[in-house]
Amino acid sequence: MALPPPDPQFVLRGTSAAVHTLHFSCGGQEPDVPLLFSGSENGLIHIWNLKTRRVDTALDGHGRNSVYCVETMGSKDRLLSQGRDQRICLWDLAEGRMSVMDSVFTENVGFCRCSLLKVAQGRWLMAMASKALEEVQVLELPSKMSVCTLKPGVGAKLGMPMCLKLWQLSCGSQPLLLAGYEDGSVVLWNLSMGKALSQLICHQEPVMSLDFDLEKTKGISGSSEKVLSIWSLDEQQNLQVYKTHKLVNAGISDITIRPDKKILATAGWDHRIRIFGWKKMKPLAVLDYHTATVHCVSFSDHKQPSERLLAAGSKDHRISIWSIYTQT
Amino acid sequence: VCFTLGGSDCSISFVSHVLGKICVHGRQKEMLSVLVPRLAELTRSDCIWQRMCWRLLECVPQRWMEAVLLGFVQTAPGADVLSRLLGNLVVKNKKAQFVLTQKVLLLQYSHKTAVLQNLLGYLSLDPLRRPLLVKVLQELLETWGSSSAVRHSPPEQQQYISKAILICLSHLKESEIESCRQELLTSMMEGVKCHLDSNLPRIRHLGMVVAESISLKINTDGPVLKFQYEEDDEARELKSLLVQTTPCCAVPSLPDEEENEKAAVLPLVSDGDKKSPRAAPVLPAEESDTDLDSDDDLVPYDMSEDKELRTKAPLYLRDCIEVLTGCENVDKWEATVKALESLIRKNPAATREVSVELAKVLLHLEEKTCVEGFVELRQRAQVALLTTDPIPVAQYLTSQFYSLNYSLRQRVDILDVLVLAAQELSHPKFHGKTKHSVAPKPGIQLLPGSDSSKDWRRIVDERIKSKTRRIATGQAQVELPSGPNEFNSVAGHFFFPLIQHFDRPLTTFDLLGEDHFVLGRLVHTLAVLMYLAVNTVAVTAMGKALLEFVWTLRFHTDCYVRQGLLSCISSMLLSVPAERLLEDMTEELLETQSWLGDVVEKDPDGDCRRLALQSLLLMENLKKKLQSVPS
């Protein structure tokens, strides 16, 4: 007799706007407090203290335009946020400061979240959708120099890039980019050559979100249709469909694989969060708490496995925090 | 009469006279059925016989020419035979030309298609005669396109003319069509407009088929006119006339069609090729996984609650009204529209509280999303509403019928809803039985569509049948469970407001003027309401009012309206009890009877004449019935 799904451990209220993006920063040592960063539709970035479960600070850097991506760069003092005002802001939050150090003007009016990759100490690569319709630009931060621009070939009607993931097999190897596009295909790009290595049509509808497991070179993508697509990368850097999983209701906003690669979570348009086992895509749980579409899910980076959390942000202005499958 | 001519010098004129006299006396068939095959055979290869035949016909006196020619055209087995027999008579002889090109085509319409084929084929077979063919086509098109002809000539004549036009088109060569392309186009446009304006679906179909065929002929490349209509036997028959079996004609149309098809296929093929890369093969994803299954220690939770997300329709009528009037959520709106009828029927008390408001909402409800069967759903909800709370909703609907700023569709909807609701109210409800097969009067299916005139014929027929069999009021053969007639108390509310303002024109709505389509539907609706009001208290008053209404409109030019008026008379005769008819409405009945007699004789429309005849029969039956009852 299976147990009924668990309730959230707690729920964060107070954003008063739809939550579009979440990011944990819980890896620090005592006395550092575990934090959760959230970006909302009203342009504010809230920094939640997970001990007191209240907002510590609210950052306003995008002028009331929706913030759809937040990421920390190395530590909790460096934050990157991307908003609908076509800007990517780099924040300095050390010692209580709340200032924008630098910003990048992307000239892109889409919703594609940027992707960060640390290549060396103090050096980062950031991939973002750029001004032209189908292009992805990769910049080096903090110098903001353009590393390359990835343009699909003439006649390949890929549409807008919808989601990006930069990765490298190991430190020092060449970085690669996985990009999901509006026409439902996922493309693997080689940054140094600026060429596409492989393209795979995973969905009939735009790819909403994707995530990739480096160790198994297996990835998963979700779209606005009812199917999740799991694909793998072989030695020749070719993408191949591994399997597909059919969902009950259509529409996935976000997918994320837990850092220990055991489970993954999907945020659905049907207000539900689904947990699957990553190895075999075994459905594990359906978490039904939210009353509107769930925009984002994120796993925490706690050092202690038992403290690990899952956060989900939804259009109903709530962030639900779950503690699920923490024993493994 | 079988004659052989031995010598070479005979006077044929005597034979022509004999022939003419026989034909004029009506003996064409007997005479020509022997003569024509013989002549056909003789003239097949022998030129002399051909000349003799031509001479024979030329010498027929003018006054008998028509009869002879008609006979020949009717009995000749084909156009080529006719051509051999008549020669260029049509060009040389004025009377022959008149008969063949004017009288047979434009003034008569009783001939069969074969006759038309013969005649027009004959005209097309000789270069001397071809100009006549073009002239004939132009005249036919003129008639086809004249709005007064479309309005006043019977449908059979219009069909005849349409056939003639199509056969002409099939015979014309490219060059000839080129030369008169502009005129063809103009006449087609005018003709199509008149035909589509008509209320009778048959005329509309004829117009559409002919216009499509003309367009096909004059636009051999590029887009052709295409209408959307149901292909019935008549349409198919007409279209088949466009293609001639003889190889010399109408071939251009076929290769053109093929070319169009090929052109359409090519873009599809090239699109398919452009479609990107490879659909990747799916690797089998099962037992090949030899890794230790560390997933086993992840125990799944209970996921039985995980079902498809379905928007629920509101459970209360007031919520429904809210959703329909203001809600932005389209899923909810759709669910509400689908659930509305059953909600109305299940909660009569709640419905009565909000009936007029809901009626207003429904009347103005427009399709927000692509719901299947939206029109039907809305109509069923309106009918349910009307049957649950008849009087206020009927008052509202009938008042709106005559208000400003409604579209024709909405006004016709009001009429349809009134009829359906009246039918439902007047028939006893059958709980637990299937409704569709049951009607107290068997075989009657009220379709408030454009075909109500056909149903009326059936209804009246049945009623007459049942009436003439027994003296007592005809009842259904099957004994069905009965219930109170709920239409009784509300019949007047449905009927009288509709009749009230028909002669008062508004800025956007003029029943007696250009909105004669709605007038036609109104009249048919009144006829149905009258019929359904049998055995109600108000029926006599309704009958009188209806008779007055019919009297003022009896000379209306639109035949659909006239058919409706005649159905009104029939239903009134059937519904109002005979005693009341004869006591209260004697003078009006007599006037009506004389009018009906007029209609039977002089009305151009066949349906009108039939309906009038039936009404006269009903009146006769009425008289007989009353005379047979001992006073």
Side-chain angles (χ1 to χ4, degrees):
Chain A
M1 180 57 191
L3 292 168
D7 288 328
Q9 199 174 55
F10 52 93
V11 175
L12 299 173
R13 306 172 139 85
T15 52
S16 35
V19 179
H20 282 291
T21 179
L22 292 168
H23 190 87
F24 279 98
S25 177
C26 314
Q29 307 275 19
E30 291 282 317
D32 276 346
V33 175
L35 296 174
L36 173 65
F37 296 91
S38 75
S40 320
E41 199 159 312
N42 54 6
L44 295 178
I45 301 163
H46 294 272
I47 307 182
W48 300 85
N49 182 326
L50 291 174
K51 274 250 163 48
T52 63
R53 299 172 186 177
R54 293 224 181 119
V55 178
D56 264 356
T57 1
L59 305 171
D60 187 0
H62 291 274
R64 301 277 121 192
N65 291 293
S66 174
V67 176
Y68 56 93
C69 182
V70 274
E71 296 241 12
T72 52
M73 293 170 71
S75 72
K76 63 178 178 56
D77 294 331
R78 292 271 176 274
L79 187 69
L80 178 142
S81 68
Q82 187 179 19
R84 292 271 293 148
D85 57 347
Q86 304 175 38
R87 283 192 337 151
I88 296 180
C89 293
L90 298 166
W91 299 79
D92 173 23
L93 303 171
E95 290 149 21
R97 288 192 288 269
M98 291 193 296
S99 54
V100 178
M101 280 192 313
D102 209 351
S103 68
V104 177
F105 190 50
T106 62
E107 294 181 90
N108 173 264
V109 292
F111 297 86
C112 181
R113 292 180 180 140
C114 62
S115 176
L116 280 176
L117 180 68
K118 185 170 182 178
V119 286
Q121 188 61 21
R123 266 183 61 219
W124 296 77
L125 282 181
M126 179 181 72
M128 61 186 200
S130 81
K131 184 175 179 195
L133 179 62
E134 298 185 344
E135 272 179 22
V136 174
Q137 206 177 27
V138 181
L139 296 182
E140 195 203 17
L141 292 176
S143 60
K144 299 200 287 189
M145 272 187 1
S146 170
V147 170
C148 64
T149 314
L150 303 171
K151 256 192 286 236
V154 176
K157 297 215 178 87
L158 294 174
M160 295 191 295
M162 303 288 297
C163 44
L164 302 167
K165 179 133 182 114
L166 276 171
W167 59 283
Q168 53 184 165
L169 260 181
S170 51
C171 214
S173 62
Q174 61 168 345
L176 297 163
L177 172 70
L178 277 165
Y181 287 87
E182 202 182 341
D183 71 332
S185 53
V186 173
V187 177
L188 178 67
W189 292 91
N190 179 320
L191 293 182
S192 41
M193 292 194 284
K195 266 190 353 164
L197 291 173
S198 163
Q199 179 178 351
L200 178 67
I201 298 184
C202 301
H203 297 278
Q204 305 302 313
E205 305 262 327
V207 180
M208 286 297 179
S209 171
L210 59 79
D211 204 358
F212 187 64
D213 178 355
L214 289 167
E215 292 149 28
K216 298 198 196 102
T217 57
K218 223 165 69 169
I220 180 170
S221 59
S223 151
S224 50
E225 51 183 15
K226 274 189 184 181
V227 175
L228 288 172
S229 178
I230 300 105
W231 28 271
S232 67
L233 203 57
D234 61 11
E235 294 79 30
Q236 286 88 26
Q237 311 283 50
N238 281 332
L239 290 167
Q240 281 177 320
V241 173
Y242 183 67
K243 87 157 88 166
T244 55
H245 181 90
K246 196 158 189 295
L247 299 164
V248 174
N249 291 309
I252 294 286
S253 330
D254 199 7
I255 297 188
T256 180
I257 305 176
R258 200 159 74 170
D260 67 347
K261 317 287 190 245
K262 291 265 177 65
I263 62 174
L264 68 97
T266 66
W269 291 0
D270 58 350
H271 326 331
R272 296 174 199 160
I273 306 154
R274 289 158 204 282
I275 312 283
F276 297 89
W278 177 222
K279 207 171 215 131
K280 286 189 180 168
M281 275 310 282
K282 180 164 101 168
L284 291 174
V286 175
L287 306 174
D288 195 3
Y289 165 75
H290 288 284
T291 52
T293 174
V294 184
H295 284 307
C296 49
V297 273
S298 180
F299 282 102
S300 70
D301 52 348
H302 283 92
K303 294 254 169 55
Q304 274 275 36
S306 56
E307 290 173 10
R308 283 173 302 183
L309 298 170
L310 163 71
S314 159
K315 193 172 163 187
D316 61 2
H317 308 187
R318 310 257 185 276
I319 302 170
S320 55
I321 312 284
W322 311 75
S323 171
I324 192 165
Y325 292 119
T326 50
Q327 288 77 27
T328 55
Chain B
V1 174
C2 183
F3 63 95
T4 51
L5 285 168
S8 46
D9 252 2
C10 309
S11 165
I12 294 195
S13 57
F14 171 65
V15 185
S16 311
H17 275 69
V18 172
L19 183 62
K21 193 92 194 245
I22 294 176
C23 287
V24 122
H25 281 293
R27 297 273 175 220
Q28 292 146 307
K29 248 210 211 140
E30 292 93 337
M31 171 79 187
L32 292 175
S33 58
V34 173
L35 188 59
V36 167
R38 188 99 170 83
L39 280 176
E41 229 188 278
L42 287 169
T43 53
R44 191 178 305 222
S45 42
D46 196 339
C47 277
I48 304 185
W49 269 106
Q50 280 186 10
R51 280 236 196 88
M52 281 205 283
C53 190
W54 298 350
R55 192 93 184 95
L56 177 74
L57 287 166
E58 278 164 33
C59 293
V60 173
Q62 296 290 346
R63 57 192 181 281
W64 299 327
M65 179 65 86
E66 182 189 335
V68 174
L69 274 181
L70 270 181
F72 265 85
V73 174
Q74 279 170 333
T75 43
D80 46 346
V81 173
L82 195 61
S83 172
R84 289 205 303 267
L85 295 178
L86 295 182
N88 280 340
L89 185 65
V90 73
V91 178
K92 291 187 229 160
N93 188 314
K94 286 275 175 244
K95 178 87 181 182
Q97 196 178 80
F98 174 71
V99 168
L100 289 181
T101 60
Q102 304 265 12
K103 201 152 184 191
V104 171
L105 293 172
L106 297 171
L107 298 174
Q108 300 175 335
Y109 58 94
S110 55
H111 302 293
K112 299 206 202 74
T113 320
V115 170
L116 280 174
Q117 294 268 21
N118 280 352
L119 180 59
L120 296 168
Y122 161 66
L123 285 179
S124 75
L125 279 177
D126 191 294
L128 277 179
R129 303 196 285 257
R130 282 196 87 97
L132 281 179
L133 188 66
V134 179
K135 185 161 151 289
V136 157
L137 177 62
Q138 285 169 345
E139 284 177 5
L140 283 171
L141 278 175
E142 224 183 280
T143 317
W144 180 74
S146 105
S147 62
S148 62
V150 172
R151 267 208 300 262
H152 296 292
S153 53
E156 291 79 21
Q157 185 169 25
Q158 303 202 28
Q159 190 196 36
Y160 182 82
I161 293 188
S162 310
K163 280 190 199 165
I165 293 179
L166 291 173
I167 298 178
C168 272
L169 281 176
S170 72
H171 281 293
L172 283 182
K173 289 201 278 246
E174 269 299 310
S175 50
E176 286 157 342
I177 295 185
E178 269 302 322
S179 61
C180 58
R181 176 181 295 237
Q182 200 48 42
E183 293 158 31
L184 282 178
L185 189 61
T186 359
S187 358
M188 179 185 88
M189 299 302 276
E190 284 173 21
V192 154
K193 183 169 162 303
C194 312
H195 281 263
L196 290 179
D197 229 355
S198 159
N199 280 340
L200 297 176
R202 190 176 175 193
I203 308 289
R204 290 201 293 267
H205 282 183
L206 279 176
M208 288 195 257
V209 171
V210 174
E212 273 185 13
S213 317
I214 298 180
S215 152
L216 195 64
K217 279 284 169 173
I218 59 181
N219 295 337
T220 47
D221 54 338
V224 290
L225 192 58
K226 198 87 181 83
F227 284 104
Q228 256 187 338
Y229 53 85
E230 293 220 10
E231 277 245 349
D232 60 356
D233 292 326
E234 195 177 50
R236 276 189 280 267
E237 190 198 334
L238 286 173
K239 281 194 188 162
S240 68
L241 293 173
L242 257 190
V243 181
Q244 285 290 328
T245 45
T246 51
C248 60
C249 324
V251 173
S253 62
L254 292 172
D256 282 335
E257 282 183 44
E258 276 183 49
E259 276 175 39
N260 283 341
E261 275 182 49
K262 278 195 207 134
V265 167
L266 280 174
L268 289 173
V269 171
S270 58
D271 269 345
D273 282 337
K274 275 196 220 143
K275 253 226 157 163
S276 306
R278 32 202 212 74
V282 179
L283 293 176
E286 359 68 336
E287 289 72 61
S288 55
D289 214 276
T290 50
D291 293 298
L292 281 172
D293 204 310
S294 57
D295 269 5
D296 274 348
D297 52 355
L298 294 169
V299 180
Y301 286 94
D302 175 28
M303 292 181 279
S304 56
E305 289 301 307
D306 187 18
K307 289 189 210 104
E308 249 185 71
L309 204 61
R310 227 183 283 262
T311 12
K312 285 179 254 182
L315 294 168
Y316 299 103
L317 271 177
R318 289 190 195 270
D319 293 338
C320 287
I321 298 181
E322 245 184 73
V323 170
L324 290 175
T325 46
C327 184
E328 288 306 317
N329 187 339
V330 268
D331 291 324
K332 215 163 182 191
W333 185 91
E334 252 189 63
T336 310
V337 169
K338 289 187 190 156
L340 199 53
E341 189 203 349
S342 50
L343 274 179
I344 293 177
R345 287 193 193 270
K346 280 190 218 155
N347 305 306
T351 311
R352 278 186 268 265
E353 287 173 25
V354 292
S355 57
V356 181
E357 204 183 322
L358 192 52
K360 202 188 288 196
V361 168
L362 282 175
L363 190 59
H364 293 97
L365 195 65
E366 273 173 45
E367 197 161 354
K368 230 192 219 179
T369 67
C370 201
V371 183
E372 232 182 78
F374 172 75
V375 177
E376 209 199 310
L377 284 171
R378 180 177 64 178
Q379 195 177 64
R380 296 231 302 253
Q382 282 172 311
V383 171
L385 188 59
L386 194 48
T387 50
T388 319
D389 195 9
I391 298 185
V393 179
Q395 280 174 344
Y396 172 71
L397 285 179
T398 49
S399 66
Q400 295 306 298
F401 179 74
Y402 283 110
S403 302
L404 284 171
N405 294 332
Y406 278 98
S407 69
L408 287 185
R409 178 75 252 166
Q410 281 169 318
R411 295 192 209 264
V412 171
D413 269 347
I414 292 180
L415 294 177
D416 288 343
V417 167
L418 284 170
V419 163
L420 286 171
Q423 185 191 14
E424 205 181 299
L425 285 173
S426 62
H427 295 172
K429 288 205 182 68
F430 298 99
H431 300 287
K433 288 202 191 154
T434 50
K435 275 194 177 177
H436 62 92
S437 52
V438 187
K441 287 88 182 166
I444 295 172
Q445 262 241 335
L446 219 52
L447 299 159
S450 51
D451 277 353
S452 43
S453 53
K454 277 201 208 125
D455 302 317
W456 272 110
R457 217 173 306 142
R458 231 183 329 134
I459 294 171
V460 172
D461 280 340
E462 303 242 353
R463 210 53 160 130
I464 291 179
K465 252 193 282 176
S466 63
K467 275 212 162 206
T468 49
R469 262 193 231 135
R470 324 155 213 248
I471 305 292
T473 331
Q475 260 309 321
Q477 280 89 347
V478 179
E479 203 49 60
L480 295 155
S482 52
N485 182 348
E486 289 166 37
F487 192 49
N488 186 6
S489 40
V490 300
H493 290 276
F494 278 38
F495 183 85
F496 289 108
L498 283 181
I499 261 196
Q500 243 180 350
H501 299 303
F502 75 94
D503 52 356
R504 210 203 295 166
L506 302 166
T507 359
T508 56
F509 183 51
D510 183 10
L511 270 180
L512 296 178
E514 19 171 69
D515 292 317
H516 49 81
F517 174 64
V518 184
L519 180 63
R521 293 295 287 266
L522 173 64
V523 175
H524 279 272
T525 305
L526 290 173
V528 176
L529 289 178
M530 184 76 233
Y531 177 72
L532 290 171
V534 67
N535 300 331
T536 62
V537 173
V539 72
T540 320
M542 282 166 70
K544 276 192 108 158
L546 195 56
L547 211 48
E548 294 251 0
F549 174 71
V550 168
W551 193 249
T552 47
L553 287 178
R554 69 190 186 284
F555 292 129
H556 201 273
T557 47
D558 187 308
C559 50
Y560 185 63
V561 172
R562 282 204 306 278
Q563 286 171 10
L565 293 173
L566 292 164
S567 325
C568 283
I569 306 256
S570 313
S571 54
M572 192 207 65
L573 290 171
L574 289 170
S575 299
V576 180
E579 299 81 10
R580 294 269 69 78
L581 273 177
L582 287 179
E583 272 189 37
D584 298 341
M585 298 193 260
T586 0
E587 294 96 36
E588 291 97 329
L589 276 185
L590 286 172
E591 283 178 331
T592 315
Q593 194 170 32
S594 61
W595 170 57
L596 286 176
D598 242 8
V599 172
V600 168
E601 284 173 31
K602 301 197 193 132
D603 195 298
D605 185 64
D607 286 332
C608 285
R609 290 198 297 271
R610 243 165 288 156
L611 285 170
L613 193 56
Q614 275 169 348
S615 300
L616 281 174
L617 276 173
L618 281 173
M619 279 190 169
E620 283 301 314
N621 284 345
L622 209 62
K623 265 199 246 165
K624 271 190 231 153
K625 187 181 110 171
L626 282 175
Q627 281 164 5
S628 65
V629 171
S631 46

